[in-house]
Amino acid sequence: MARIVMKFGGTSVADLDRIRNVARHVKREVDAGHQVAVVVSAMAGKTNELVSWVQQMPKVAGASASFYDAREYDAIVASGEQVTSGLLAIALQSMGVDARSWQGWQIPVKTDNAHAAARIIDIDGSELIRRFEMGQVAVVAGFQGIGPDNRLATLGRGGSDTSAVAIAAAVKADRCDIYTDVDGVYTTDPRVEPKARRMKKIAFEEMLEMASLGAKVLQVRSVELAMVHKVRTFVRSSFDDPDAPGMGDLLNPPGTLICDEEEIVEQEVVTGIAYAKDEAQISLRRLADRPGVSAAIFGPLADAHINVDMIVQNISEDGSRTDMTFTVPSSDAEKALAVLAGQKELIGYDVVQSESGLAKVSVIGIGMRSHAGVAASAFKALAEKSINIKAITTSEIKISILIDGAYAELAVRTLHSVYGLDKT
Ligand code: ASP
Ligand code: MG
């Protein structure tokens, strides 16, 4: 007997047929004698629709940057998951499975006060465990919790993944299965490189980089939580036949296991290539090379909630002036330029230059820690394709390269093959 948390994303519960199919996956685990909690997303497209309704409402007079009241936004967008949790509970009951739906506040999933982007601070798993012991399946509405103000709070887009991992940690589940519309985590995006392979296993740290750098299988926060609480997390497909052989395998179900690096015996040097398109580069030219300049630049950008990445500062040639370059998502570029213009006096730069339509391609692998020359092979391979590199940043387990957006796909395929990822 094991304790399993099963999470189903929007495409897995897109309509009533899909919900009945999900119920079959759940029943399979229940019939095998496991204790099961299920976390569901809203039906595909539902959250987008709810968000767009909020955005179409008239703006409150005098409202500041955010044009809606985030508490009411949460009250509205959290409703999608409420619907699917009830529907799945009914589908399970009709198959003879004892099931009950749960909203975030009923458990409770306690969050902080950051409405629309709340973080989970505590989950009391005791009632769920009591229900497990009665043989009941809990069907939990993902993406939502309750804030210190006693109001519904949502966890940011894609937050049901985080709900699932957090619940798995709270009830000390043996496994958290994230069911989605792909059958695992691939060495790169298969739409860009058809030779991409599904990984058997990937380490938490690597998955964290993959998710942060553009692979959209899991919300980044969920991977962080899984890593902190060591929740063994499987990414697998709800589109597989629920009763196909091996589907109920406790140790090796089909899919990709995200786990501690100790569990990965045959560690590759490079495990995956991620990419993010629509990056913009901003350069501040000839700013004073003195203490406090970086703080004067990046403080106000952070206050404006602009996500800055790839910061490169030049060594000053004359000891008094330097250049600073960084990237932001293209959608934030205009806002960033406005913030910088407002701080010109304080920062003391000469000119700002910016360029949009760039792509960041990243090579990821824990094995890099102990292998030299990984970066050099990337640079050589890109040079052979005449792809110009605009900026480079590295960490212990990743190399990120900024290039012209038009070459993103070519760069991904080139790097995928250089590191032998297309070989089986
Ligand atoms: N339904 C929410 C969203 O679309 C949460 C989730 O699916 O994870 O963002
Ligand atoms: Mg998702």
Side-chain angles (χ1 to χ4, degrees):
M1 198 266 305
R3 186 173 284 169
I4 303 175
V5 172
M6 307 171 75
K7 183 259 169 177
F8 294 90
T11 49
S12 302
V13 293
D15 55 39
L16 299 182
D17 271 339
R18 302 286 323 145
I19 290 176
R20 281 188 283 265
N21 175 71
V22 162
R24 290 175 58 208
H25 282 285
V26 175
K27 186 171 173 2
R28 180 190 67 233
E29 306 295 348
V30 172
D31 287 348
H34 303 313
Q35 297 183 343
V36 178
V38 188
V39 175
V40 285
S41 291
M43 291 171 161
K46 191 69 207 176
T47 309
N48 287 345
E49 181 184 50
L50 295 167
V51 169
S52 83
W53 287 348
V54 177
Q55 288 169 341
Q56 287 167 49
M57 290 304 282
K59 191 181 156 173
V60 178
S64 61
S66 66
F67 55 89
Y68 45 71
D69 182 320
R71 287 172 189 77
E72 301 312 336
Y73 167 94
D74 278 347
I76 296 157
V77 302
S79 66
E81 275 73 10
Q82 175 164 348
V83 172
T84 39
S85 63
L87 287 171
L88 180 57
I90 290 175
L92 285 164
Q93 289 168 1
S94 75
M95 293 177 174
V97 176
D98 183 12
R100 186 58 65 208
S101 70
W102 293 81
Q103 307 306 299
W105 62 268
Q106 289 171 307
I107 291 180
V109 174
K110 291 194 182 145
T111 71
D112 64 12
N113 222 354
H115 283 277
R119 287 168 80 96
I120 296 175
I121 45 183
D122 184 45
I123 296 180
D124 181 350
S126 56
E127 184 58 20
L128 292 181
I129 291 172
R130 204 177 69 80
R131 302 283 174 140
F132 285 146
E133 275 148 15
M134 291 162 52
Q136 193 177 77
V137 172
V139 185
V140 181
F143 182 50
Q144 51 162 277
I146 184 161
D149 55 359
N150 210 27
R151 305 202 65 89
L152 277 175
T154 62
L155 307 179
R157 298 307 304 271
S160 302
D161 296 331
T162 301
S163 305
V165 172
I167 286 171
V171 302
K172 301 203 169 24
D174 298 289
R175 209 171 80 199
C176 179
D177 287 2
I178 307 280
Y179 285 82
T180 175
D181 49 9
V182 292
D183 60 1
V185 182
Y186 279 71
T187 48
T188 196
D189 186 344
R191 286 166 304 183
V192 172
E193 173 51 277
K195 289 187 212 142
R197 285 180 300 111
R198 185 174 76 190
M199 302 176 201
K200 270 316 278 176
K201 292 180 180 178
I202 178 172
F204 290 125
E205 285 91 337
E206 291 169 328
M207 190 62 217
L208 194 55
E209 295 287 1
M210 291 286 275
S212 316
L213 294 167
K216 296 201 172 54
V217 239
L218 289 174
Q219 198 194 33
V220 175
R221 180 80 189 117
S222 71
V223 186
E224 282 170 8
L225 268 188
M227 183 159 95
V228 170
H229 297 284
K230 296 203 188 293
V231 177
R232 298 175 84 246
T233 303
F234 267 95
V235 176
R236 54 189 299 186
S237 171
S238 74
F239 289 75
D240 289 342
D241 175 2
D243 302 309
M247 287 296 286
D249 193 310
L250 194 57
L251 296 176
N252 275 310
T256 300
L257 173 64
I258 309 166
C259 60
D260 207 83
E261 63 181 279
E262 253 99 85
E263 251 192 82
I264 302 174
V265 190
E266 288 159 60
Q267 186 65 63
E268 313 275 348
V269 177
V270 168
T271 44
I273 312 292
Y275 70 97
K277 286 182 113 173
D278 296 321
E279 298 279 306
Q281 167 181 308
I282 297 179
S283 297
L284 298 169
R285 298 292 178 200
R286 291 177 292 284
L287 35 98
D289 189 11
R290 56 168 165 75
V293 172
S294 296
I297 298 171
F298 299 111
L301 290 172
D303 293 342
H305 301 287
I306 296 169
N307 230 332
V308 174
D309 191 34
M310 293 190 91
I311 302 173
V312 184
Q313 184 188 329
N314 263 358
I315 302 290
S316 170
E317 202 177 13
D318 59 4
S320 71
R321 302 261 132 191
T322 183
D323 293 333
M324 182 86 80
T325 295
F326 57 90
T327 61
V328 296
S330 283
S331 54
D332 278 345
E334 232 172 277
K335 198 163 133 199
L337 292 172
V339 170
L340 294 171
Q343 302 288 319
K344 188 164 198 287
E345 292 297 295
L346 199 74
I347 305 170
Y349 56 85
D350 187 1
V351 285
V352 185
Q353 292 166 334
S354 68
E355 187 180 1
S356 301
L358 306 182
K360 181 176 59 179
V361 180
S362 304
V363 177
I364 296 154
I366 276 181
M368 261 180 231
R369 285 187 197 136
S370 49
H371 280 81
V374 180
S377 332
F379 304 151
K380 181 157 170 277
L382 295 178
E384 279 163 9
K385 300 281 187 218
S386 305
I387 298 174
N388 186 40
I389 298 175
K390 292 173 180 287
I392 303 164
T393 53
T394 63
S395 81
E396 235 191 348
I397 68 162
K398 76 148 199 239
I399 305 153
S400 290
I401 299 167
L402 190 68
I403 58 171
D404 193 299
Y407 298 108
E409 282 85 3
L410 177 62
V412 166
R413 286 193 293 268
T414 302
L415 296 173
H416 193 264
S417 110
V418 155
Y419 296 108
L421 295 176
D422 27 10
K423 299 204 188 75
T424 36

